[in-house]
């Protein structure tokens, strides 16, 4: 198991280097002078030069990259807007986004797995069709529109829940629901198909032949196996949630990393944009690693061969 | 004559598929006495396994449907039992060993757990300690090496032969009155096959269970069974004591089957092969299902399906050429 | 001949699936509206008439008017055209580049495959809308850059799917046979491998059409997509947000349009997946 984790960690290194490289190079995608871009149209030539020097933009690219990576860790990469290290701006907001994403993933896993199991065990019944259609609706829902609709209903019309901000548990209900909707649909579809696969297996017949109740056959023997591929999807969905947070947080004015990213883009606070990209990608990559490890725990075949 | 342990009467089962209705079983009747081994033999797709699944009530419905007939177990028609009562019988009164031990064990649970689960299901109040003892005893009984370690192993860490032993241990765990073995050695290496058959033979003697042994291998049937039923295209062609069947087969299909086994004790020249193919179970002919491949067919064979008729004591055959002389 | 009858079997199976049929109807109507927008739309989508600001639904303006008194129905109809342009071009970019990279890696394997897949891993490490967001933010928000950004972010999906099916197809005997008679690598890939790996790629294309539309609309909503006054559903929704309480329909209708079209592609893609997957049929 230890070797398995080490090997996976080693495989991450090129990806992490690549991620930081992409985040770094994005700055140079922009047409024209990046220093001018950061300084803004109205800035004086001196300001532009100062920025150019401060960010090492007058140095060769490899040196700039080294400076960027070092700056991420040392805090020398400063936010232009907040006059403080980019990481210090990001981390508290990252916490808020994680709270939201975790709440959403819980919603999505609970609803999605139950819907998928029901769908598979009642295949071709109205339950299955209803779950399928609802899942596809969930996947197809534009997050920002769905958020506005729920806000119109629960905040504007019924006045049950706040329309934005953060604080009490009531603030998180709508955003978590909205953010988790698409993932719920995807997890439900995935659980359904892997459950159908598993229910066809010989060992399910064996379990039934032992005299187990249908519930035990489904919940113990089938679900345990069906969840193995679902776990991977949940990991991927967690990444989607971090990204989806950009829209959800904008709709519900949730003070997270997504809103920070958008406002930083609009304010040309490029160091924060770059650092945010790196952080989210890092996070996503490590969640996937955790999922792989969980996968190995759930599936003994991998544990021993890995 | 005492009532048999299992008696199947007029069992007819269909499968509804996208392409049409597959008439998998048609008017199947046979019985198994207590302590008896009945061999069920026939080609792939003739309905052997479906028969077994009907007895365990493991046929998925839909697409499966039992159209008519009854299955009496200990005098009770199990087809009419409520689901929960049937469930209690599975694994307890009747147990099954499957063809492919590779896929019949759940990959995510240890073998010991899976055997123990069969016991706990029917004896929920059993203590952990007694349970472990029972599982270890079972592992020893089926000759699994090093039972203390083996109970904690996952199926993929074991060989096919060992897995089949685990399956047998699971089937025996509650001392079933009827053991159904569906091609228990087909998926195994030849050298392992003999070991498993010896094991089943020994256990049957020790436990005194009735056995329904399904195989396409006449050699296996000859060495294990007391009586044998030959199936063809969803019907029973012939039933008799093993000795009678091998010495004096009656049905032309049985004769063909026996002719198709290579024998070392006499010079046969070429192996006999039954000409033609199995009829389509979705579109069965009106008369005898074997007529098109039969050398002895009479005009009546095209018109009327032959019924299973006793021609001698304990020897039944479904063939116009035998019964209408 | 054999492949044609198999094709018609797939079509029949798709047409028997009610979900797929509903999807197909929605997609076809959408394509029709987008193609004939100038003929269908009752008004010029950009013609302002402030006297009709937020005019309610009426016979003349079935969906009412927006804050500048522009006919909402006409803007929705022209918005379909904008969406379709984004979808077609960005998916084409992703399809060409992704299929090329995936076929290359899958067919040749080795370090080439390793290199391509690590590159895709790096792109995939930026989840969802993030990569497209960053690219379009840097290039500057307009239709062309939006298409480029969304195209790039869709490449890895196509590369992975293609690679997977190429690997499974290339082990078939007919590929070995073609190699044995000395056909060139390029001709083997184009004539034998890709055509047989095509069905997952088609399904991915359909499903991707849905994702791409959602992403484009999402960027529009953030103000980083197509810029006003160009009619684009996400951008329209974003502008209408300010008037949510007084004129909710101006926001609801563009969102509904996005959802319907995305739903159409997803219904169709999901239904065809069932029809093309022989393992699921019974």
């Amino acid at each position: 198991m230890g070797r398995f984790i080490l090997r996976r960690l080693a495989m991450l290194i090129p990806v992490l280097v690549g991620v930081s490289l992409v985040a770094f190079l994005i700055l140079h995608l922009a047409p024209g002078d990046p220093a001018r871009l950061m300084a803004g149209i109205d800035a004086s030539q001196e300001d532009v030069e100062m920025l150019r020097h401060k960010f090492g933009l007058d140095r060769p690219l490899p040196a700039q990259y080294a400076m960027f990576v070092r700056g991420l860790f040392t805090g020398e990469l400063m936010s232009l807007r907040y006059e403080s290290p980019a990481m210090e701006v990001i981390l508290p907001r990252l916490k808020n986004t994680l709270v939201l994403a975790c709440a959403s993933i819980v919603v999505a896993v609970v609803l999605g797995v139950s819907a998928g199991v029901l769908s598979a065990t009642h295949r071709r019944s109205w339950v299955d069709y209803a779950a399928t259609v609802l899942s596809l609706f969930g996947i197809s829902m534009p997050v920002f529109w769905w958020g506005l609709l729920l806000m119109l209903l629960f905040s504007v019309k019924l006045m049950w829940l706040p329309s934005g901000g953060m604080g009490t548990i009531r603030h998180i209900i709508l955003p978590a629901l909205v953010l988790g909707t698409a993932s719920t649909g995807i997890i439900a579809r995935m659980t359904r198909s892997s459950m159908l696969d598993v229910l066809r297996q010989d060992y399910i017949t064996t379990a039934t032949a032992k005299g187990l109740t249908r519930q035990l056959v489904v919940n113990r023997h089938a679900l345990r196996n069906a969840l193995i591929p679902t776990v991977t999807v949940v990991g991927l969905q967690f990444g989607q949630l971090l990204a989806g947070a950009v829209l959800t947080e904008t709709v519900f004015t949730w003070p997270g990393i997504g809103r920070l990213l958008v406002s930083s883009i609009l304010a040309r606070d490029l160091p924060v944009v770059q650092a945010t990209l790196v952080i989210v990608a890092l996070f996503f990559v490590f969640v996937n690693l955790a999922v792989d490890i969980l996968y190995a725990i759930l599936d003994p075949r991998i544990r021993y061969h890995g | 004559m005492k009532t048999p342990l299992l008696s199947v009467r007029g069992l007819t089962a269909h499968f509804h598929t996208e392409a049409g209705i597959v008439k998998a079983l048609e008017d199947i009747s046979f019985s198994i006495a207590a302590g008896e081994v009945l061999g069920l033999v026939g080609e792939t797709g003739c309905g052997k396994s479906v028969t077994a699944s009907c007895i365990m009530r493991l046929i998925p419905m839909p697409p499966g449907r039992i159209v008519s007939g009854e299955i009496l177990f200990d005098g009770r028609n199990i087809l009419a039992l409520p689901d929960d009562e049937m469930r209690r019988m599975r694994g307890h009164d009747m147990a099954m060993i499957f063809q492919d031990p590779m896929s019949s064990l759940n990959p995510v649970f240890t073998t010991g757990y899976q055997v123990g689960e069969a016991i706990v299901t029917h004896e929920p109040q059993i203590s952990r300690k007694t349970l472990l003892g029972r599982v270890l005893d079972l592992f020893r009984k089926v000759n699994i090496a090093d039972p203390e370690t083996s109970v904690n192993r996952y199926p993929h860490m074991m060989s096919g032969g060992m897995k089949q032993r685990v399956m047998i241990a699971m089937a025996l765990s509650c001392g079933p009155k009827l053991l159904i073995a569906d091609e228990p050695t087909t998926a195994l290496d030849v050298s392992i096959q003999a070991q498993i058959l010896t094991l089943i033979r020994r256990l049957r003697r020790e436990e005194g269970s009735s056995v329904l042994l399904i195989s396409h291998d006449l050699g296996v049937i000859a060495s294990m069974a007391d009586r044998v039923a030959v199936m063809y295209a969803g019907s029973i062609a012939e039933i008799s004591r093993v000795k009678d069947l091998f010495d004096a087969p009656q049905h032309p299909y049985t004769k063909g089957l026996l002719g198709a086994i290579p024998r070392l004790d006499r010079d046969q020249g070429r192996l006999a092969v039954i000409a033609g193919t199995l009829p389509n179970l979705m579109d069965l002919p009106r008369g005898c299902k074997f007529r098109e491949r039969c050398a002895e067919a009479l005009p009546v064979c095209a018109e009327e399906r032959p019924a299973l008729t006793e021609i001698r004591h304990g020897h039944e055959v479904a063939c116009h050429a035998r019964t209408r002389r | 001949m054999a492949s044609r009858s198999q094709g018609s079997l797939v079509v029949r199976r798709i047409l028997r699936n009610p979900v797929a049929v509903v999807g197909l109807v929605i997609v076809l109507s959408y394509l029709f509206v987008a193609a004939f927008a100038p003929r269908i739309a009752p008004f010029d989508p950009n013609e302002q008439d402030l006297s009709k600001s937020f005019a309610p639904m009426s016979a003349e303006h079935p969906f009412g008017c927006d804050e500048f008194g522009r006919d909402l129905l006409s803007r929705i109809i022209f918005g379909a055209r904008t969406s379709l342009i984004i979808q077609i071009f960005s998916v084409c970019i992703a399809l060409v580049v992704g299929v090329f990279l995936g076929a290359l890696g899958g067919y040749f394997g080795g370090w080439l495959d390793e290199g391509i897949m690590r590159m895709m891993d790096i792109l995939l490490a930026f989840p969802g809308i993030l990569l497209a967001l960053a690219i379009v933010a840097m290039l500057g928000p307009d239709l062309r850059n939006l298409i480029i950004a969304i195209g790039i972010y869709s490449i890895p999906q196509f590369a992975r799917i293609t690679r997977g099916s190429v690997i499974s197809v290339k082990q078939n005997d007919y590929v070995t046979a073609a190699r044995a008679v000395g056909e060139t690598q390029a001709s083997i890939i184009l004539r034998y491998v890709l055509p047989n790996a095509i069905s997952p790629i088609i399904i991915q294309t359909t499903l991707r059409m849905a994702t791409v539309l959602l992403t484009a609309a999402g960027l529009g909503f953030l103000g980083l997509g197509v810029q006003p006054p160009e009619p684009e559903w996400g951008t329209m929704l974003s502008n209408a947000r300010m008037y949510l309480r007084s004129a909710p329909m101006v926001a609801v209708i563009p969102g509904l349009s996005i959802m319907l079209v995305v739903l159409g592609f997803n219904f169709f893609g999901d239904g065809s997946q069932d029809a093309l997957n022989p393992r699921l049929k019974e």
Side-chain angles (χ1 to χ4, degrees), chain B residues 149-180:
Chain B
T149 327
S150 295
V151 288
N152 290 321
R153 294 185 147 215
Y154 288 93
H156 70 272
M157 303 160 77
M158 288 185 163
S159 68
M162 279 300 143
K163 279 188 230 181
Q164 195 61 303
R165 285 170 199 269
V166 172
M167 288 299 293
I168 295 172
M170 190 189 290
L172 294 178
S173 60
C174 295
K177 293 177 198 156
L178 173 67
L179 180 66
I180 300 177

Side-chain angles (χ1 to χ4, degrees), chain B residues 19 62 104 216:
Chain B
S104 295
H216 64 275

